[in-house]
Amino acid sequence: MNSALCLGWVSHRRQVPRAHAFRYRVGMFYLDLDEQAAWLGLSRWLGRWRLAPLCWRETDYLPALTGQGMPLAEAARTLVGQACGHTPSGPVHLLTQLRCWGLSFNPVSFYFCHEAGGQLAAILLEVRNTPWRERFHYVLPVQQNQAGSFKVAKAFHVSPFMPLNMHYHLRFKLDAARLRIHMHNWQGAEQVFAAALALQRQPLDRKALHRYILAFPWMSLRTVTAIYWQALRLLLKRTPVHDHAQAQGHLALGQPNEDSDHAQQHPER
């Protein structure tokens, strides 16, 4: 299978206006959406029942389209086509946290959209916020099958402790064994925030799936709890709060970041 378990760490580091950092263990799934029958057949603990230990529901993702009956892979391709003017026709691979015991929340899910020949064509980011329960989508067009560095203007309010007048610089390193995703927030010429996701791929089989459930029995709840715990810590540090801003539209297009060295001056540790 192309699908895999991904285990590793997520880290955040804020430079201004208050220094703040944290690092958590995380477990995610890298799912080839063409392999649904295979990975849904691994265990009765992974199924379509809403309150299952791990639940797969396509309508948890891109609900504006999947809620109308569109398959998730097609929905991802459709958004890429709307942003780029070209709709890839190949497999779609999704990096995400699955619904767990009835709770579904992903700060960001990544869709790796391929051409029919297997070349990576674009990366779609589905970003969510809490408590507003809004969604926004960033599309990063890939050149020459290489997921490298990108930049995109921030268009969606995620954290009340961050303003909108920023740019994201993103770097992807993908291979058969590892996934590395780095995001740096720049406000003008100043980097103010950095986040990193460092994951090791493991084969997805029945035993690995059961080990995952034991290691991360409440992954969705842990994610939401961690968000609010870190928000409380920032409030106690008297970090300024910014008003919630409504996104204009639901889709933004990124571009290759030619100044990639600029985005790497403060790599994640």
Side-chain angles (χ1 to χ4, degrees):
M1 282 197 301
N2 292 318
S3 302
L5 279 175
C6 293
L7 307 179
W9 297 88
V10 60
S11 59
H12 286 198
R13 180 165 48 87
R14 177 188 300 263
Q15 283 81 251
V16 296
R18 305 285 187 272
H20 186 78
F22 62 84
R23 186 171 183 253
Y24 288 116
R25 285 279 295 170
V26 66
M28 302 183 73
F29 288 83
Y30 183 85
L31 301 174
D32 184 334
L33 296 182
D34 290 337
E35 297 178 343
Q36 291 189 39
W39 37 264
L40 281 170
L42 290 175
S43 170
R44 62 190 179 94
W45 300 113
L46 168 59
R48 300 186 188 276
W49 178 45
R50 188 181 184 91
L51 298 179
L54 290 172
C55 171
W56 170 249
R57 296 167 62 89
E58 288 204 343
T59 51
D60 285 339
Y61 303 92
L62 308 181
L65 297 176
T66 57
Q68 299 177 7
M70 184 181 292
L72 179 58
E74 183 181 347
R77 296 187 198 105
T78 297
L79 287 178
V80 169
Q82 289 176 6
C84 298
H86 168 72
T87 302
S89 58
V92 176
H93 299 170
L94 170 63
L95 179 64
T96 191
Q97 295 176 14
L98 293 180
R99 177 183 289 271
C100 176
W101 298 107
L103 178 62
S104 174
F105 182 76
N106 277 281
V108 57
S109 294
F110 300 88
Y111 301 79
F112 300 93
C113 301
H114 299 78
E115 299 290 4
Q119 305 93 338
L120 184 62
I123 304 170
L124 167 66
L125 281 62
E126 181 181 17
V127 182
R128 297 179 62 185
N129 58 19
T130 180
W132 303 281
R133 300 174 64 86
E134 298 166 328
R135 299 178 191 243
F136 194 85
H137 313 92
Y138 295 96
V139 174
L140 309 177
V142 172
Q143 297 182 338
Q144 300 178 346
N145 197 33
Q146 295 294 321
S149 298
F150 306 89
K151 61 182 177 182
V152 61
K154 183 178 179 181
F156 179 60
H157 186 93
V158 178
S159 167
F161 304 101
M162 288 281 188
L164 269 182
N165 59 331
M166 292 183 172
H167 278 78
Y168 295 132
H169 291 208
L170 298 111
R171 289 186 289 118
F172 292 80
K173 294 183 179 180
L174 314 173
D175 58 44
R178 299 182 301 173
L179 292 114
R180 298 287 187 272
I181 303 172
H182 296 261
M183 182 189 77
H184 304 260
N185 290 20
W186 288 83
Q187 194 169 34
E190 182 181 24
Q191 180 182 290
V192 299
F193 177 82
L197 187 60
L199 302 171
Q200 297 284 338
R201 297 198 206 203
Q202 299 185 7
L204 180 57
D205 56 30
R206 180 182 177 87
K207 289 184 177 179
L209 183 64
H210 289 172
R211 287 196 301 269
Y212 173 92
I213 294 172
L214 291 174
F216 301 98
W218 300 96
M219 191 70 245
S220 298
L221 181 60
R222 283 181 56 182
T223 299
V224 174
T225 302
I227 289 171
Y228 285 100
W229 168 241
Q230 297 302 328
L232 176 60
R233 291 182 61 198
L234 286 168
L235 284 173
L236 294 175
K237 291 182 177 182
R238 298 186 179 181
T239 306
V241 174
H242 300 268
D243 291 337
H244 179 70
Q246 191 71 35
Q248 300 299 312
H250 68 99
L251 191 62
L253 179 64
Q255 58 184 324
N257 186 8
E258 298 177 357
D259 191 16
S260 58
D261 291 339
H262 180 62
Q264 297 181 35
Q265 291 179 11
H266 302 278
E268 282 294 307
R269 297 178 178 85

